[in-house]
Amino acid sequence: MTEPRLIYLPLGGAGEIGMNMYVYGYGESGRERLIVVDAGVTFSDDSSTPGVELITADFSWLIQRRRQVEAIFVTHGHLDHVGALEFVCDELQVPIYLRSLTAEIAISNIRRSDDFTHFFRIADPYPSVCAAGPFSVSFLPVAHSIPEAAGLVIETPVGKIIHSGDFRLDVSPVIGEAFDEELWREASDGEVLALACDSTNALNRAAGLSESVVGPNLQQLFKRCSGTVFATTFASNIARLYQISAAAGQCGRKIVLLGRAMTTLVEAAASANFLDRLPNEISLADARQLPRNSLVVIATGSQGEERAAMARLASGRKFKGLAARAGDTVLYSSRTIPGNETRVAATLNAFSRLGVETIVDPKDRYHVSGHPNQPDLSQMHRLVEPELVIPLHGEHIHLAGHAKLAEENGFEALVASNGEIVDVLAGTILRGESIAPRRCYLDGRIFSSSGKFLKTRLGMARNGVVFVVVRMDKRGRNLQDVTVSQAGLPLDDSESFNRQLASDCLDVVGTERLRRASRSNAYSKRILGFTRDYCRENIGKVPIIRVVTIRG
């Protein structure tokens, strides 16, 4: 019998911002009892995952050990922590511990018809404890850019781990629980084996700001705006929505929500008793009747999403009866997530062409981050005093910067990327047991752990596609005809290209007499090679080529 061990495995979130999924295990090697922390998504990028709706961490490692999984714990309601919950739960079928607002958001984002909410267990905050096999887990409230965020106090038979979740050291967050230093000090009392900690802003040396500083700045801005103000922020930032609404009212303006995500999140906050309704909110019908200088529109699309309200408004056409005009103001009360810069810039340029003033906030006047900067991380290190700091939630440069900061503060630190299993007690990575990190994709109704289709899709997008249909006789022995069609090629006369390639294919193979039984396969291979060479010579690139053989 081997000694029990305590392990940590990031499946997602330790190497990118988003797609968070972490595993803790305790027990004999290979027989550990496991808990999962968070099940998040990231969103597709047209340059690498065109057409894909959602991307999650590959959790096949968990599926293979489903009988060892005790429970799932969700730290808060952002989609990069909760968006994959239905897919993971469909496979693991275990209790899901989460707080009430997180549950409401999870329910509002269900994409399939299967109801998995009977697995939900609504958790009370620390010192309440949720038992899961050898683990006792408490939800330790933190301030973040969404209410009811929490870190986790994970008690094990060999010691305590604190998983920070996403947090900000904010004692006046406007809506939601403030960061309670004394509560965290109490929860950290005694030996803390490891602090697994948010690294998103680990390279930012400035002190973090409170959400409460934003409201007065918004009021000053709205006072000087002459037309309609179109403001966008993260739909889940309930405190920001409230502050925009309150500032609008102080300037004699009404507000209207535009976009499904906005209304869904406000309804979820109301269901969880965080918000009755936004101050000064009116209906779309009433908003259409107001003078332009009496309205603030809070719209979805802070990340440049093509179908969101901001992109629709930037087109210059009416959306839900509202339109942006010269003299209006667009405010991005948000941060652009890395990877979305091009889409956001396109939206801003479209507004600018309409004569709309665009305001993106580089100096934290109208937006503050929900994550800790370096001074906040240092304060957290000193507060918890862990034996080991494990950076998570960030790209590798953020994890490495956080580890360096922890070491400068006098703490041991270990960077573990996605797929690397950590022996927490030894403070080392188990190289021989680590796994290759992969991803799963939601494309339409299909949820797949294979990304092979993306190679073909990208090839079609970059190089086009050519279809060659080869018609054989009924016995598949003699070639009768070739037909060509194509798409995505930069041709002025595509019909001429199709006819010429088809004719040349017939000339190349039409007179061949093959003695092998599988003549159709031989013809197909010959035509594939010829078409590849023909395209390379005539258009300078090789598209995706598909040769289809039919008989009759």
Side-chain angles (χ1 to χ4, degrees), residues 331-355:
L331 168 65
Y332 274 69
S333 182
S334 57
R335 162 182 173 267
T336 301
I337 296 172
N340 294 337
E341 294 89 350
T342 300
R343 294 191 305 188
V344 171
T347 306
L348 288 168
N349 277 299
F351 275 120
S352 182
R353 284 190 287 271
L354 296 175

PDB file of all heavy atoms in Angstrom, residues 331-355:
ATOM      1  N   LEU A 331     -19.142  54.601 -25.315  1.00  0.00           N
ATOM      2  CA  LEU A 331     -18.230  54.381 -24.184  1.00  0.00           C
ATOM      3  C   LEU A 331     -17.996  52.892 -23.989  1.00  0.00           C
ATOM      4  O   LEU A 331     -18.949  52.125 -23.829  1.00  0.00           O
ATOM      5  CB  LEU A 331     -18.827  54.969 -22.896  1.00  0.00           C
ATOM      6  CG  LEU A 331     -18.130  54.568 -21.594  1.00  0.00           C
ATOM      7  CD1 LEU A 331     -16.705  55.117 -21.538  1.00  0.00           C
ATOM      8  CD2 LEU A 331     -18.929  55.010 -20.379  1.00  0.00           C
ATOM      9  N   TYR A 332     -16.732  52.506 -24.012  1.00  0.00           N
ATOM     10  CA  TYR A 332     -16.353  51.136 -23.664  1.00  0.00           C
ATOM     11  C   TYR A 332     -15.917  51.122 -22.208  1.00  0.00           C
ATOM     12  O   TYR A 332     -14.795  51.485 -21.874  1.00  0.00           O
ATOM     13  CB  TYR A 332     -15.227  50.635 -24.575  1.00  0.00           C
ATOM     14  CG  TYR A 332     -15.742  50.046 -25.876  1.00  0.00           C
ATOM     15  CD1 TYR A 332     -16.333  50.869 -26.831  1.00  0.00           C
ATOM     16  CD2 TYR A 332     -15.661  48.686 -26.129  1.00  0.00           C
ATOM     17  CE1 TYR A 332     -16.830  50.345 -28.012  1.00  0.00           C
ATOM     18  CE2 TYR A 332     -16.156  48.148 -27.306  1.00  0.00           C
ATOM     19  CZ  TYR A 332     -16.737  48.985 -28.245  1.00  0.00           C
ATOM     20  OH  TYR A 332     -17.227  48.448 -29.407  1.00  0.00           O
ATOM     21  N   SER A 333     -16.839  50.735 -21.318  1.00  0.00           N
ATOM     22  CA  SER A 333     -16.545  50.641 -19.888  1.00  0.00           C
ATOM     23  C   SER A 333     -16.111  49.206 -19.602  1.00  0.00           C
ATOM     24  O   SER A 333     -16.747  48.470 -18.842  1.00  0.00           O
ATOM     25  CB  SER A 333     -17.801  51.007 -19.081  1.00  0.00           C
ATOM     26  OG  SER A 333     -17.540  50.961 -17.696  1.00  0.00           O
ATOM     27  N   SER A 334     -15.016  48.835 -20.239  1.00  0.00           N
ATOM     28  CA  SER A 334     -14.587  47.436 -20.201  1.00  0.00           C
ATOM     29  C   SER A 334     -13.140  47.344 -20.651  1.00  0.00           C
ATOM     30  O   SER A 334     -12.560  48.310 -21.148  1.00  0.00           O
ATOM     31  CB  SER A 334     -15.463  46.584 -21.135  1.00  0.00           C
ATOM     32  OG  SER A 334     -15.404  47.098 -22.461  1.00  0.00           O
ATOM     33  N   ARG A 335     -12.604  46.151 -20.492  1.00  0.00           N
ATOM     34  CA  ARG A 335     -11.251  45.840 -20.956  1.00  0.00           C
ATOM     35  C   ARG A 335     -11.365  44.894 -22.142  1.00  0.00           C
ATOM     36  O   ARG A 335     -12.195  43.989 -22.148  1.00  0.00           O
ATOM     37  CB  ARG A 335     -10.471  45.172 -19.822  1.00  0.00           C
ATOM     38  CG  ARG A 335      -9.223  44.408 -20.219  1.00  0.00           C
ATOM     39  CD  ARG A 335      -8.603  43.758 -18.986  1.00  0.00           C
ATOM     40  NE  ARG A 335      -7.488  42.882 -19.310  1.00  0.00           N
ATOM     41  CZ  ARG A 335      -7.594  41.579 -19.522  1.00  0.00           C
ATOM     42  NH1 ARG A 335      -8.780  41.001 -19.442  1.00  0.00           N
ATOM     43  NH2 ARG A 335      -6.540  40.849 -19.803  1.00  0.00           N
ATOM     44  N   THR A 336     -10.537  45.103 -23.148  1.00  0.00           N
ATOM     45  CA  THR A 336     -10.537  44.195 -24.296  1.00  0.00           C
ATOM     46  C   THR A 336      -9.730  42.952 -23.957  1.00  0.00           C
ATOM     47  O   THR A 336      -8.548  43.038 -23.622  1.00  0.00           O
ATOM     48  CB  THR A 336      -9.945  44.885 -25.537  1.00  0.00           C
ATOM     49  OG1 THR A 336     -10.723  46.042 -25.842  1.00  0.00           O
ATOM     50  CG2 THR A 336      -9.966  43.943 -26.726  1.00  0.00           C
ATOM     51  N   ILE A 337     -10.367  41.810 -24.008  1.00  0.00           N
ATOM     52  CA  ILE A 337      -9.695  40.543 -23.717  1.00  0.00           C
ATOM     53  C   ILE A 337      -8.699  40.257 -24.829  1.00  0.00           C
ATOM     54  O   ILE A 337      -9.017  40.432 -26.015  1.00  0.00           O
ATOM     55  CB  ILE A 337     -10.727  39.408 -23.600  1.00  0.00           C
ATOM     56  CG1 ILE A 337     -11.656  39.662 -22.403  1.00  0.00           C
ATOM     57  CG2 ILE A 337     -10.043  38.045 -23.464  1.00  0.00           C
ATOM     58  CD1 ILE A 337     -12.815  38.710 -22.312  1.00  0.00           C
ATOM     59  N   PRO A 338      -7.462  39.837 -24.501  1.00  0.00           N
ATOM     60  CA  PRO A 338      -6.481  39.524 -25.541  1.00  0.00           C
ATOM     61  C   PRO A 338      -7.050  38.579 -26.594  1.00  0.00           C
ATOM     62  O   PRO A 338      -7.681  37.578 -26.270  1.00  0.00           O
ATOM     63  CB  PRO A 338      -5.344  38.852 -24.747  1.00  0.00           C
ATOM     64  CG  PRO A 338      -5.443  39.460 -23.382  1.00  0.00           C
ATOM     65  CD  PRO A 338      -6.912  39.659 -23.137  1.00  0.00           C
ATOM     66  N   GLY A 339      -6.845  38.938 -27.858  1.00  0.00           N
ATOM     67  CA  GLY A 339      -7.390  38.166 -28.968  1.00  0.00           C
ATOM     68  C   GLY A 339      -8.575  38.829 -29.625  1.00  0.00           C
ATOM     69  O   GLY A 339      -8.927  38.516 -30.769  1.00  0.00           O
ATOM     70  N   ASN A 340      -9.203  39.775 -28.895  1.00  0.00           N
ATOM     71  CA  ASN A 340     -10.392  40.450 -29.429  1.00  0.00           C
ATOM     72  C   ASN A 340     -10.101  41.856 -29.950  1.00  0.00           C
ATOM     73  O   ASN A 340     -11.024  42.579 -30.337  1.00  0.00           O
ATOM     74  CB  ASN A 340     -11.473  40.537 -28.347  1.00  0.00           C
ATOM     75  CG  ASN A 340     -11.999  39.179 -27.949  1.00  0.00           C
ATOM     76  OD1 ASN A 340     -11.907  38.208 -28.704  1.00  0.00           O
ATOM     77  ND2 ASN A 340     -12.559  39.080 -26.748  1.00  0.00           N
ATOM     78  N   GLU A 341      -8.833  42.241 -29.964  1.00  0.00           N
ATOM     79  CA  GLU A 341      -8.486  43.618 -30.314  1.00  0.00           C
ATOM     80  C   GLU A 341      -8.953  44.006 -31.716  1.00  0.00           C
ATOM     81  O   GLU A 341      -9.457  45.117 -31.936  1.00  0.00           O
ATOM     82  CB  GLU A 341      -6.971  43.828 -30.206  1.00  0.00           C
ATOM     83  CG  GLU A 341      -6.416  43.712 -28.800  1.00  0.00           C
ATOM     84  CD  GLU A 341      -6.010  42.285 -28.438  1.00  0.00           C
ATOM     85  OE1 GLU A 341      -6.331  41.357 -29.212  1.00  0.00           O
ATOM     86  OE2 GLU A 341      -5.364  42.099 -27.394  1.00  0.00           O
ATOM     87  N   THR A 342      -8.793  43.104 -32.676  1.00  0.00           N
ATOM     88  CA  THR A 342      -9.151  43.428 -34.062  1.00  0.00           C
ATOM     89  C   THR A 342     -10.644  43.664 -34.203  1.00  0.00           C
ATOM     90  O   THR A 342     -11.074  44.623 -34.862  1.00  0.00           O
ATOM     91  CB  THR A 342      -8.712  42.284 -35.000  1.00  0.00           C
ATOM     92  OG1 THR A 342      -7.287  42.107 -34.892  1.00  0.00           O
ATOM     93  CG2 THR A 342      -9.067  42.604 -36.443  1.00  0.00           C
ATOM     94  N   ARG A 343     -11.458  42.824 -33.568  1.00  0.00           N
ATOM     95  CA  ARG A 343     -12.913  42.984 -33.666  1.00  0.00           C
ATOM     96  C   ARG A 343     -13.373  44.270 -32.988  1.00  0.00           C
ATOM     97  O   ARG A 343     -14.252  44.977 -33.496  1.00  0.00           O
ATOM     98  CB  ARG A 343     -13.623  41.776 -33.053  1.00  0.00           C
ATOM     99  CG  ARG A 343     -13.390  40.486 -33.807  1.00  0.00           C
ATOM    100  CD  ARG A 343     -14.308  39.389 -33.341  1.00  0.00           C
ATOM    101  NE  ARG A 343     -14.242  39.143 -31.904  1.00  0.00           N
ATOM    102  CZ  ARG A 343     -14.834  38.133 -31.289  1.00  0.00           C
ATOM    103  NH1 ARG A 343     -15.574  37.286 -31.988  1.00  0.00           N
ATOM    104  NH2 ARG A 343     -14.736  37.966 -29.997  1.00  0.00           N
ATOM    105  N   VAL A 344     -12.796  44.576 -31.825  1.00  0.00           N
ATOM    106  CA  VAL A 344     -13.168  45.804 -31.121  1.00  0.00           C
ATOM    107  C   VAL A 344     -12.776  47.026 -31.950  1.00  0.00           C
ATOM    108  O   VAL A 344     -13.557  47.982 -32.090  1.00  0.00           O
ATOM    109  CB  VAL A 344     -12.520  45.845 -29.723  1.00  0.00           C
ATOM    110  CG1 VAL A 344     -12.723  47.220 -29.082  1.00  0.00           C
ATOM    111  CG2 VAL A 344     -13.101  44.760 -28.827  1.00  0.00           C
ATOM    112  N   ALA A 345     -11.573  46.998 -32.527  1.00  0.00           N
ATOM    113  CA  ALA A 345     -11.123  48.121 -33.352  1.00  0.00           C
ATOM    114  C   ALA A 345     -12.034  48.325 -34.564  1.00  0.00           C
ATOM    115  O   ALA A 345     -12.329  49.461 -34.947  1.00  0.00           O
ATOM    116  CB  ALA A 345      -9.684  47.886 -33.807  1.00  0.00           C
ATOM    117  N   ALA A 346     -12.499  47.231 -35.162  1.00  0.00           N
ATOM    118  CA  ALA A 346     -13.398  47.346 -36.314  1.00  0.00           C
ATOM    119  C   ALA A 346     -14.708  48.021 -35.923  1.00  0.00           C
ATOM    120  O   ALA A 346     -15.236  48.871 -36.660  1.00  0.00           O
ATOM    121  CB  ALA A 346     -13.667  45.957 -36.896  1.00  0.00           C
ATOM    122  N   THR A 347     -15.235  47.672 -34.751  1.00  0.00           N
ATOM    123  CA  THR A 347     -16.475  48.298 -34.274  1.00  0.00           C
ATOM    124  C   THR A 347     -16.262  49.782 -33.992  1.00  0.00           C
ATOM    125  O   THR A 347     -17.083  50.627 -34.368  1.00  0.00           O
ATOM    126  CB  THR A 347     -16.983  47.580 -33.015  1.00  0.00           C
ATOM    127  OG1 THR A 347     -17.114  46.182 -33.280  1.00  0.00           O
ATOM    128  CG2 THR A 347     -18.330  48.128 -32.583  1.00  0.00           C
ATOM    129  N   LEU A 348     -15.155  50.109 -33.339  1.00  0.00           N
ATOM    130  CA  LEU A 348     -14.867  51.513 -33.028  1.00  0.00           C
ATOM    131  C   LEU A 348     -14.705  52.336 -34.297  1.00  0.00           C
ATOM    132  O   LEU A 348     -15.195  53.476 -34.393  1.00  0.00           O
ATOM    133  CB  LEU A 348     -13.602  51.602 -32.173  1.00  0.00           C
ATOM    134  CG  LEU A 348     -13.728  51.139 -30.720  1.00  0.00           C
ATOM    135  CD1 LEU A 348     -12.360  50.990 -30.079  1.00  0.00           C
ATOM    136  CD2 LEU A 348     -14.575  52.122 -29.920  1.00  0.00           C
ATOM    137  N   ASN A 349     -14.033  51.793 -35.296  1.00  0.00           N
ATOM    138  CA  ASN A 349     -13.852  52.507 -36.554  1.00  0.00           C
ATOM    139  C   ASN A 349     -15.174  52.715 -37.276  1.00  0.00           C
ATOM    140  O   ASN A 349     -15.399  53.757 -37.902  1.00  0.00           O
ATOM    141  CB  ASN A 349     -12.866  51.754 -37.455  1.00  0.00           C
ATOM    142  CG  ASN A 349     -11.426  52.064 -37.109  1.00  0.00           C
ATOM    143  OD1 ASN A 349     -10.992  53.217 -37.191  1.00  0.00           O
ATOM    144  ND2 ASN A 349     -10.672  51.071 -36.709  1.00  0.00           N
ATOM    145  N   ALA A 350     -16.045  51.723 -37.180  1.00  0.00           N
ATOM    146  CA  ALA A 350     -17.366  51.859 -37.805  1.00  0.00           C
ATOM    147  C   ALA A 350     -18.157  52.986 -37.140  1.00  0.00           C
ATOM    148  O   ALA A 350     -18.813  53.787 -37.824  1.00  0.00           O
ATOM    149  CB  ALA A 350     -18.126  50.537 -37.714  1.00  0.00           C
ATOM    150  N   PHE A 351     -18.102  53.067 -35.807  1.00  0.00           N
ATOM    151  CA  PHE A 351     -18.760  54.175 -35.114  1.00  0.00           C
ATOM    152  C   PHE A 351     -18.138  55.519 -35.510  1.00  0.00           C
ATOM    153  O   PHE A 351     -18.849  56.506 -35.726  1.00  0.00           O
ATOM    154  CB  PHE A 351     -18.656  53.990 -33.601  1.00  0.00           C
ATOM    155  CG  PHE A 351     -19.717  53.114 -33.000  1.00  0.00           C
ATOM    156  CD1 PHE A 351     -19.377  51.956 -32.317  1.00  0.00           C
ATOM    157  CD2 PHE A 351     -21.058  53.457 -33.111  1.00  0.00           C
ATOM    158  CE1 PHE A 351     -20.353  51.143 -31.752  1.00  0.00           C
ATOM    159  CE2 PHE A 351     -22.045  52.650 -32.551  1.00  0.00           C
ATOM    160  CZ  PHE A 351     -21.693  51.486 -31.874  1.00  0.00           C
ATOM    161  N   SER A 352     -16.821  55.551 -35.612  1.00  0.00           N
ATOM    162  CA  SER A 352     -16.140  56.796 -35.951  1.00  0.00           C
ATOM    163  C   SER A 352     -16.568  57.304 -37.327  1.00  0.00           C
ATOM    164  O   SER A 352     -16.748  58.515 -37.533  1.00  0.00           O
ATOM    165  CB  SER A 352     -14.620  56.577 -35.921  1.00  0.00           C
ATOM    166  OG  SER A 352     -13.931  57.779 -36.199  1.00  0.00           O
ATOM    167  N   ARG A 353     -16.768  56.382 -38.276  1.00  0.00           N
ATOM    168  CA  ARG A 353     -17.215  56.792 -39.611  1.00  0.00           C
ATOM    169  C   ARG A 353     -18.618  57.391 -39.590  1.00  0.00           C
ATOM    170  O   ARG A 353     -18.986  58.157 -40.479  1.00  0.00           O
ATOM    171  CB  ARG A 353     -17.163  55.592 -40.557  1.00  0.00           C
ATOM    172  CG  ARG A 353     -15.756  55.243 -41.019  1.00  0.00           C
ATOM    173  CD  ARG A 353     -15.770  54.223 -42.133  1.00  0.00           C
ATOM    174  NE  ARG A 353     -16.116  52.893 -41.643  1.00  0.00           N
ATOM    175  CZ  ARG A 353     -15.224  52.009 -41.197  1.00  0.00           C
ATOM    176  NH1 ARG A 353     -13.934  52.315 -41.168  1.00  0.00           N
ATOM    177  NH2 ARG A 353     -15.612  50.823 -40.786  1.00  0.00           N
ATOM    178  N   LEU A 354     -19.383  57.062 -38.564  1.00  0.00           N
ATOM    179  CA  LEU A 354     -20.724  57.647 -38.414  1.00  0.00           C
ATOM    180  C   LEU A 354     -20.682  59.032 -37.779  1.00  0.00           C
ATOM    181  O   LEU A 354     -21.720  59.702 -37.675  1.00  0.00           O
ATOM    182  CB  LEU A 354     -21.602  56.735 -37.544  1.00  0.00           C
ATOM    183  CG  LEU A 354     -21.919  55.337 -38.081  1.00  0.00           C
ATOM    184  CD1 LEU A 354     -22.696  54.540 -37.032  1.00  0.00           C
ATOM    185  CD2 LEU A 354     -22.698  55.410 -39.384  1.00  0.00           C
ATOM    186  N   GLY A 355     -19.504  59.456 -37.331  1.00  0.00           N
ATOM    187  CA  GLY A 355     -19.392  60.735 -36.642  1.00  0.00           C
ATOM    188  C   GLY A 355     -19.652  60.640 -35.156  1.00  0.00           C
ATOM    189  O   GLY A 355     -19.923  61.651 -34.491  1.00  0.00           O
TER     190      GLY A 355
END
